[in-house]
Amino acid sequence: MPVSPAVPSYASGISAAPLLGDTIGDNLDRTVAAHGDRDALVECATERRWTYRELAADVDALALGLLDAGIGKGDRVGIWAPNCAEWTLTQYATAKIGAILVNINPAYRSHELEFVLNQAGVTMLVAAESFKTSDYAAMIEQVRPKCAELRHVVLLGHDAWNSLLDKGKQGDAAASAERLAEKRAGLSADDPINIQYTSGTTGFPKGATLSHHNILNNGYFVGELCNYTEADRVCIPVPFYHCFGMVMGNLACTSHGSTMVIPAPAFDPKASLAAVAAERCTSLYGVPTMFIAELAEPTFGDYDLSTLRTGIMAGSPCPVEVMKQVIDRMGMAEVSICYGMTETSPVSTQTRADDSVQRRVSTVGRVGPHLEVKVVDPETGLTVPRGQTGELCTRGYSVMLGYWNQPDKTDEAIDRARWMHTGDLAVMDDEGYVNITGRIKDMVIRGGENLYPREIEEFLYTHPDILDAQVIGVPDTKYGEELMAWVRMREGAEPLTEETVRAFCEGRLARYKIPRYVHVVEEFPMTVTGKVRKVEMREKSIDLLGLSAAANTEHA
């Protein structure tokens, strides 16, 4: 009898809602016309708030101020600041005039700042004067002589910033509106509007270049799958400099008339919980480590979270046990898991509100509307059958225009058929749900066995004393690599050892999957977006365990 062909790991997203053809500025104006008197933006730290009509007035004023400063379509405007209302104003004002917003990581130091300013050719830099221990103003002055294209530095709260806004508010209102209308008439939804630098674990980061069409539609459809309306109030503790904050947060809100709530300049578990309670938020965002911190907050029970119905957990793999607690203890019955990357604007797959709890705690959902995903053999590029592990690829409106001024790097990431290769290992089931099993580069090869850290991490989360766990590979002269677990303990728990972890795993995990080494830490090395830096963990572990000789052993 003929053998039926296996169903390929491919899926495309359908939607009754068409793609948006607007620019970001036009889309904001539509929302203002429909919901002008509703809350648009709340900044909890300063108790400032804007209705949509007030937000639009300040955005337009800033846009006019930028024009007066000589900033126009295609010019790059850097933004280097923690989450604040001014960040949001700058995001929409640059979009109104077609300037390209360059997001700069608040954790950068002078060397990284200099690279980004020069690589993107930034003309104007809008920045906070300082934040936490970072003296931004001093670092800017240090690198400014080395950045030939940087003509303007605008520090938030200083005269230069106030002047930008004040100039935009002066003059005849009708003439100002006509001036902005003329500029918008020269814009296309396919124009580049944003450059976001990927974290980059080795070498310098790459600037993912995104269009109005990329990020406006991604924010809109993420919001659609969260069932957002003008009645929703979204607490956004994730950084604006990243897609999670400015796309899934801000653009999802403004494309639906929802309210953006900024709980604090940087993540603080108490501030986030307080913002949800005070502003009656219906949605809360975070990476897993943020939700872990909120759930572990000693005063957690003091906050009224009864208005929460949904939210998004994304940015890094979401532990099953944490997801269950978010649903049960925080009341986020419709919480959504999103998966993606900066280069895809960012979301490619998402769970739906009507998905079973099991689907929402064990997968990253199905392909988003108007997108395609497939799982391929990393060596041959051929689509693998459903149920088989391979590299996840994405195609559609969300795929970036390319890496800024790096066509060679673009060609390495996006193939000739416009598939973005994510570098993530995934499995697609019979119903199209995707499970991320790890990074191709994170896979540990122990004595010829391919081991996926995510599987072992999920098992360790079931230990009652473990708050968080990360598994890496470390060099070994016999097996090539061995497994090491970094763990964070719950408050009051006794630190684990190799022996106690082995005893917990015996009979429940295959022996070759049991970590040989265990390291108890207070926190993991992280990027500002909440992604664990496993490369740094591996480097520290080599020193900690005295494995330099094994690390330098040559292999075929």
Side-chain angles (χ1 to χ4, degrees):
M1 293 180 63
V3 178
S4 298
V7 177
S9 295
Y10 167 88
S12 59
I14 60 173
S15 175
L19 286 166
L20 301 177
D22 295 340
T23 62
I24 290 169
D26 285 343
N27 185 263
L28 177 63
D29 288 346
R30 294 181 200 282
T31 299
V32 173
H35 307 292
D37 294 328
R38 300 191 70 92
D39 284 349
L41 178 64
V42 177
E43 186 180 74
C44 296
T46 62
E47 299 184 345
R48 293 183 294 169
R49 57 185 63 229
W50 287 255
T51 64
Y52 266 100
R53 190 168 288 109
E54 291 166 343
L55 177 70
D58 279 355
V59 165
D60 285 354
L62 182 56
L64 290 163
L66 291 171
L67 290 173
D68 284 342
I71 302 298
K73 179 180 177 180
D75 288 333
R76 273 76 71 203
V77 176
I79 177 82
W80 194 29
N83 285 14
C84 58
E86 289 78 7
W87 211 111
T88 304
L89 294 178
T90 304
Q91 175 184 348
Y92 288 89
T94 49
K96 281 255 179 167
I97 63 172
I100 300 174
L101 186 70
V102 180
N103 302 4
I104 302 175
N105 189 329
Y108 276 0
R109 310 304 292 173
S110 56
H111 181 61
E112 297 151 314
L113 173 66
E114 178 187 343
F115 170 80
V116 167
L117 293 177
N118 282 321
Q119 205 278 330
V122 170
T123 299
M124 173 184 282
L125 176 60
V126 176
E129 182 176 15
S130 62
F131 182 62
K132 293 185 176 179
T133 60
S134 295
D135 187 340
Y136 291 165
M139 284 189 274
I140 292 167
E141 287 309 305
Q142 180 183 343
V143 306
R144 193 171 185 176
K146 306 172 189 176
C147 302
E149 295 186 57
L150 183 61
R151 300 197 305 268
H152 308 280
V153 172
V154 178
L155 297 180
L156 297 177
H158 285 233
D159 289 344
W161 172 260
N162 295 330
S163 177
L164 279 180
L165 278 173
D166 291 343
K167 282 185 178 179
K169 293 176 181 177
Q170 296 168 1
D172 180 71
S176 295
E178 185 177 343
R179 186 181 181 196
L180 286 177
E182 288 177 1
K183 295 297 179 183
R184 288 206 309 275
L187 304 181
S188 163
D190 294 319
D191 290 336
I193 200 63
N194 185 215
I195 298 175
Q196 299 198 27
Y197 282 86
T198 57
S199 300
T201 52
T202 57
F204 283 109
K206 302 182 290 291
T209 307
L210 304 166
S211 67
H212 294 268
H213 194 68
N214 288 148
I215 59 178
L216 175 59
N217 275 290
N218 206 258
Y220 174 69
F221 282 105
V222 165
E224 285 288 282
L225 294 184
C226 289
N227 295 315
Y228 284 163
T229 70
E230 68 275 11
D232 281 292
R233 303 173 70 83
V234 184
C235 182
I236 312 173
V238 292
F240 286 158
Y241 102 88
H242 187 263
C243 272
F244 202 168
M246 69 165 288
V247 178
M248 299 155 70
N250 291 349
L251 284 168
C253 285
T254 59
S255 60
H256 289 88
S258 307
T259 305
M260 301 166 279
V261 177
I262 306 172
F267 175 67
D268 177 272
K270 281 189 176 181
S272 297
L273 294 169
V276 169
E279 294 298 327
R280 315 305 292 154
C281 292
T282 59
S283 177
L284 172 62
Y285 286 5
V287 297
T289 52
M290 291 179 177
F291 283 105
I292 289 169
E294 288 158 358
L295 290 162
E297 169 57 43
T299 61
F300 177 86
D302 296 342
Y303 300 99
D304 179 4
L305 309 181
S306 61
T307 54
L308 284 177
R309 68 167 179 86
T310 188
I312 294 175
M313 193 189 297
S316 60
C318 306
V320 171
E321 291 304 312
V322 175
M323 185 66 167
K324 288 178 179 176
Q325 288 192 54
V326 167
I327 293 171
D328 294 340
R329 295 180 60 201
M330 303 182 87
M332 295 167 58
E334 297 178 23
V335 65
S336 181
I337 292 284
C338 289
Y339 162 82
M341 60 194 307
T342 304
E343 291 90 336
T344 55
S345 301
V347 177
S348 297
T349 68
Q350 184 173 354
T351 60
R352 275 63 163 173
D354 59 355
D355 280 336
S356 68
V357 173
Q358 182 58 31
R359 289 292 194 192
R360 285 186 284 135
V361 298
S362 60
T363 77
V364 293
R366 291 169 287 154
V367 63
H370 302 289
L371 294 174
E372 300 171 273
V373 294
K374 66 176 179 178
V375 181
V376 304
D377 184 315
E379 294 185 6
T380 66
L382 297 176
T383 304
V384 301
R386 294 201 178 192
Q388 186 171 318
T389 299
E391 181 185 17
L392 187 66
C393 299
T394 300
R395 182 167 68 180
Y397 76 81
S398 68
V399 176
M400 66 175 179
L401 300 178
Y403 293 117
W404 185 260
N405 284 346
Q406 290 186 293
D408 55 332
K409 298 295 184 184
T410 302
D411 290 342
E412 290 174 11
I414 303 173
D415 65 29
R416 288 184 297 174
R418 288 293 296 171
W419 286 100
M420 177 73 207
H421 289 252
T422 67
D424 284 323
L425 292 166
V427 177
M428 183 183 294
D429 71 14
D430 289 339
E431 295 180 49
Y433 287 86
V434 175
N435 186 28
I436 303 299
T437 59
R439 291 283 295 169
I440 291 176
K441 293 180 181 178
D442 286 346
M443 185 177 71
V444 178
I445 304 176
R446 180 191 182 275
E449 293 279 1
N450 291 348
L451 305 179
Y452 301 102
R454 174 76 188 278
E455 176 191 358
I456 301 160
E457 289 162 0
E458 291 287 3
F459 175 75
L460 292 176
Y461 275 115
T462 66
H463 192 293
D465 293 334
I466 291 179
L467 181 66
D468 203 354
Q470 297 292 329
V471 173
I472 59 171
V474 294
D476 185 77
T477 52
K478 181 178 180 180
Y479 293 106
E481 285 187 292
E482 270 286 10
L483 291 173
M484 180 176 188
W486 284 41
V487 296
R488 294 172 58 211
M489 308 301 299
R490 295 193 184 279
E491 191 172 348
E494 287 293 320
L496 294 172
T497 64
E498 281 89 352
E499 290 75 22
T500 53
V501 169
R502 178 169 290 277
F504 179 73
C505 296
E506 285 286 359
R508 302 169 72 190
L509 272 187
R511 289 195 173 185
Y512 63 86
K513 295 181 182 179
I514 298 176
R516 178 176 176 182
Y517 306 104
V518 175
H519 182 43
V520 177
V521 295
E522 291 292 324
E523 58 184 20
F524 303 128
M526 311 282 281
T527 69
V528 73
T529 55
K531 292 182 180 179
V532 176
R533 289 184 54 82
K534 288 195 171 183
V535 170
E536 186 176 333
M537 288 169 60
R538 178 182 166 90
E539 292 169 352
K540 288 183 176 180
S541 298
I542 290 171
D543 291 337
L544 183 71
L545 301 172
L547 299 176
S548 297
N552 293 324
T553 301
E554 292 187 8
H555 298 278

